[in-house]
Amino acid sequence: MFKTAKFNRISQNIVQQIRQAILKGDLQPGHRLPPEKELAENFGVSKASLREAFRALEALGLLEVRQGVSGGAFICEVDLETARNNIVNYIFFQNPSIREFTQLRIILEPAISRLAAVQATDEQLADIEDNLKESKMELDSGSFSYELDIDFHRRIADMTDNSLIHLVIDSMQSALVNIKKLIEPDYDFSLMVYHAHMRIFDALCSRDPEKAAGEMLRHVKEVGDGLTAFCDPKNLCASSSKKN
Amino acid sequence: MFKTAKFNRISQNIVQQIRQAILKGDLQPGHRLPPEKELAENFGVSKASLREAFRALEALGLLEVRQGVSGGAFICEVDLETARNNIVNYIFFQNPSIREFTQLRIILEPAISRLAAVQATDEQLADIEDNLKESKMELDSGSFSYELDIDFHRRIADMTDNSLIHLVIDSMQSALVNIKKLIEPDYDFSLMVYHAHMRIFDALCSRDPEKAAGEMLRHVKEVGDGLTAFCDPKNLCASSSKKN
DNA sequence: AAATATTAAAACATCTGATGTTTTAATGTT
DNA sequence: AACATTAAAACATCAGATGTTTTAATATTT
């Protein structure tokens, strides 16, 4: 009938109190909590227990503890990196297939490109162009980092000026990298990606929503098929050292 | 040039080592770490520092520490609740507008419904029907919980059998609840939601992807407009939709 | 033999207090 | 004004003592 109250730990209790205070708005980013000794007395707990709570709150991205004379425990906004890492941790265990990634991307990315083609500022388009130039350089030098690839998609997501869309795309791209690292796409794959990015960029520049969406859809499908092809021939699912 | 190495803390170092071991596959869910005393000696640190690391790992959902004779520190899969809470924390600070939520939902939910209409099993459809019956009862009794509303959308997301889609919908719905709690929609609003859910359910049952997508789109827009109207006092009386 | 009660030990939870380190505001010096 | 020094605030870490929880093992009862 009732959920068994799992955590009777003092530190957990403190974490919940502080998190609730933040969510209620009583504690805001930048706010400094009292010194350890004093706060421990307030809570009626030992310094050690309080410090355990601090470590948990830091892991959640809600607190930052700094040493030094004007240091202390400061409430923080949860940053994108923290949120992304937590999502990546979760997705790691779900171990979704390329098909699942592609299915979600097909839904999201063309629609986002459609919005981007309308809303993008010239400055944002210039940023994309920079990204493509860097990609070109990397490609010519024989390498291709995932960072630039992620960044391309993230910047398009940025054009929607929607923090939710930004978070979702950023997290999915980051999680997808873990798959790409296993697969280690070759030069031809990277070249294909580059060309697709170029076509998408052109569509955005010409402010053509349907073309942008269409090119993005093609790109996402191509990448999905490409990655699947890399997986398919020999290796079915296992972990491993498959060397061709 | 280089990022200032932020965390020199012993506990943070341990957290990173253990997280990496998990992500590399060296530590798997269910694995029990050595007892505190022994592990502290392995790491060459004090028990207190090790315990701080444990608290952080627990906050991340990667570890569970249990007391008792066959207790200890066990590696866990990150569960949905942990991931969702972290996402909700992040979104809390981003404080996205109803417009942003609606924009993302318009992209996602109709497309998901389209897939669901094709893929749903009869059992899954029956689950939705249960959800609607419960909603009806709540409605008749004058209340309307957000849980059932979230659950309706989550179950449709489930029909895609895609863990990424499930995570995104689940998290967005949970974050959206925080807005709804502020707004406290009235009975008419809840009734409108119920009717929309019924129409979507019918479309799913008749295995009509386009109808399902269409009804879902209408629903998401309706809710977006409704919530916006509740936010803006000027719009409380006028029921016309405003375009900006 | 099965069910129930008891016990003991493993492992974590918490507290206390001592000592070390980092950071910076305040102060002093050139 | 620029630079160097210092002192104190606040956290970081450690060691050890004591308490609590949980359950496997044992004993007892039915």
Side-chain angles (χ1 to χ4, degrees):
Chain A
M1 177 178 289
F2 292 108
K3 268 209 261 181
T4 50
K6 242 185 191 169
F7 283 114
N8 279 7
R9 246 185 244 126
I10 284 179
S11 59
Q12 188 61 21
N13 184 301
I14 293 172
V15 167
Q16 279 166 1
Q17 285 193 52
I18 292 180
R19 179 172 185 255
Q20 283 310 314
I22 293 170
L23 260 37
K24 265 180 55 187
D26 294 342
L27 290 177
Q28 296 193 340
H31 184 101
R32 189 177 94 163
L33 298 178
E36 274 181 357
K37 189 167 154 36
E38 190 182 328
L39 193 55
E41 277 169 19
N42 282 350
F43 278 116
V45 304
S46 76
K47 210 172 39 120
S49 295
L50 179 64
R51 285 174 57 77
E52 289 183 19
F54 279 2
R55 291 297 93 82
L57 286 163
E58 282 186 325
L60 297 176
L62 293 170
L63 198 73
E64 184 184 342
V65 179
R66 291 198 297 268
Q67 221 167 327
V69 61
S70 61
F74 297 84
I75 306 295
C76 309
E77 282 191 21
V78 177
D79 63 13
L80 180 64
E81 192 183 341
T82 301
R84 176 206 302 141
N85 282 340
N86 284 314
I87 294 171
V88 169
N89 284 352
Y90 174 77
I91 292 177
F92 168 79
F93 290 107
Q94 296 301 310
N95 192 24
S97 63
I98 292 167
R99 192 198 118 264
E100 285 173 86
F101 272 105
T102 304
Q103 187 175 53
L104 179 55
R105 293 187 72 193
I106 286 176
I107 293 173
L108 281 171
E109 305 229 31
I112 290 169
S113 303
R114 192 175 285 118
L115 293 171
V118 178
Q119 294 187 225
T121 66
D122 291 342
E123 195 188 3
Q124 287 172 324
L125 287 172
D127 286 343
I128 296 263
E129 196 170 10
D130 289 342
N131 173 285
L132 289 171
K133 277 179 191 157
E134 285 185 65
S135 295
K136 182 73 166 65
M137 278 166 51
E138 280 204 357
L139 208 52
D140 289 342
S141 75
S143 68
F144 196 76
S145 78
Y146 306 110
E147 279 313 314
L148 284 171
D149 189 3
I150 290 181
D151 210 48
F152 177 83
H153 290 275
R154 186 160 38 200
R155 286 183 187 195
I156 291 178
D158 269 344
M159 291 171 176
T160 64
D161 200 29
N162 183 322
S163 58
L164 300 170
I165 289 176
H166 185 78
L167 172 67
V168 173
I169 291 298
D170 184 89
S171 302
M172 291 304 143
Q173 290 289 337
S174 297
L176 192 52
V177 162
N178 293 330
I179 289 188
K180 288 185 184 168
K181 278 184 182 165
L182 288 178
I183 293 176
E184 293 182 29
D186 59 12
Y187 177 83
D188 287 344
F189 183 87
S190 301
L191 192 63
M192 175 190 82
V193 167
Y194 174 72
H195 285 149
H197 285 192
M198 282 295 284
R199 287 194 304 273
I200 293 164
F201 172 65
D202 286 342
L204 291 175
C205 285
S206 54
R207 304 290 183 178
D208 184 339
E210 291 316 312
K211 182 153 178 261
E215 292 294 350
M216 180 61 93
L217 178 61
R218 176 179 160 192
H219 171 46
V220 171
K221 282 181 173 172
E222 252 175 12
V223 168
D225 289 346
L227 292 177
T228 304
F230 268 105
C231 283
D232 237 8
K234 289 192 171 184
N235 171 8
L236 282 180
C237 52
S239 49
S240 198
S241 24
K242 41 135 208 203
K243 182 70 186 162
N244 293 0
Chain B
M1 174 177 277
F2 292 108
K3 266 209 265 181
T4 50
K6 241 187 193 170
F7 282 114
N8 281 8
R9 246 185 243 127
I10 285 179
S11 60
Q12 188 61 20
N13 184 300
I14 294 172
V15 167
Q16 278 166 359
Q17 285 193 53
I18 293 181
R19 178 171 186 257
Q20 283 309 313
I22 293 170
L23 260 37
K24 264 180 56 188
D26 294 342
L27 289 176
Q28 295 194 340
H31 184 99
R32 189 177 93 163
L33 299 178
E36 274 182 358
K37 189 168 155 34
E38 190 181 328
L39 194 55
E41 277 169 19
N42 282 349
F43 278 116
V45 304
S46 76
K47 210 172 39 120
S49 294
L50 179 63
R51 285 173 57 78
E52 288 184 19
F54 279 2
R55 290 297 95 80
L57 286 163
E58 282 186 325
L60 297 176
L62 293 170
L63 198 72
E64 185 184 340
V65 180
R66 292 198 297 269
Q67 220 167 329
V69 60
S70 61
F74 297 84
I75 305 296
C76 314
E77 282 191 21
V78 177
D79 63 12
L80 179 64
E81 192 184 340
T82 302
R84 176 205 303 141
N85 281 340
N86 285 313
I87 294 171
V88 168
N89 285 351
Y90 174 77
I91 292 178
F92 169 79
F93 290 107
Q94 296 301 311
N95 193 23
S97 63
I98 292 167
R99 193 199 116 266
E100 286 173 86
F101 273 105
T102 304
Q103 186 174 53
L104 179 54
R105 293 187 72 193
I106 285 176
I107 293 173
L108 282 171
E109 306 229 30
I112 290 169
S113 304
R114 192 175 285 117
L115 294 170
V118 177
Q119 295 185 226
T121 65
D122 291 341
E123 195 188 4
Q124 287 172 325
L125 288 172
D127 286 342
I128 295 265
E129 196 170 10
D130 288 342
N131 173 285
L132 289 172
K133 277 180 192 157
E134 286 185 65
S135 295
K136 181 74 166 64
M137 277 167 51
E138 279 205 357
L139 209 52
D140 289 342
S141 75
S143 67
F144 197 76
S145 78
Y146 306 111
E147 279 313 314
L148 285 171
D149 190 3
I150 290 181
D151 210 49
F152 177 84
H153 290 275
R154 185 160 39 199
R155 286 183 186 195
I156 291 178
D158 269 344
M159 292 170 175
T160 63
D161 201 30
N162 183 320
S163 59
L164 300 171
I165 289 176
H166 184 78
L167 172 66
V168 173
I169 291 297
D170 184 89
S171 302
M172 292 305 143
Q173 290 289 337
S174 296
L176 192 52
V177 162
N178 293 330
I179 288 188
K180 288 184 183 167
K181 277 183 183 166
L182 288 179
I183 293 177
E184 294 183 28
D186 59 11
Y187 177 83
D188 286 344
F189 183 87
S190 301
L191 192 63
M192 175 190 82
V193 167
Y194 174 72
H195 285 149
H197 285 192
M198 283 295 286
R199 287 194 304 272
I200 294 164
F201 173 65
D202 286 342
L204 293 174
C205 285
S206 54
R207 305 289 181 179
D208 183 340
E210 291 316 312
K211 182 152 176 262
E215 291 293 349
M216 180 61 92
L217 177 61
R218 177 180 160 192
H219 172 46
V220 171
K221 282 182 173 171
E222 251 175 13
V223 168
D225 288 346
L227 292 177
T228 305
F230 269 105
C231 280
D232 187 351
K234 284 174 288 186
N235 284 0
L236 275 177
C237 304
S239 54
S240 60
S241 61
K242 221 167 126 185
K243 290 176 186 176
N244 282 354

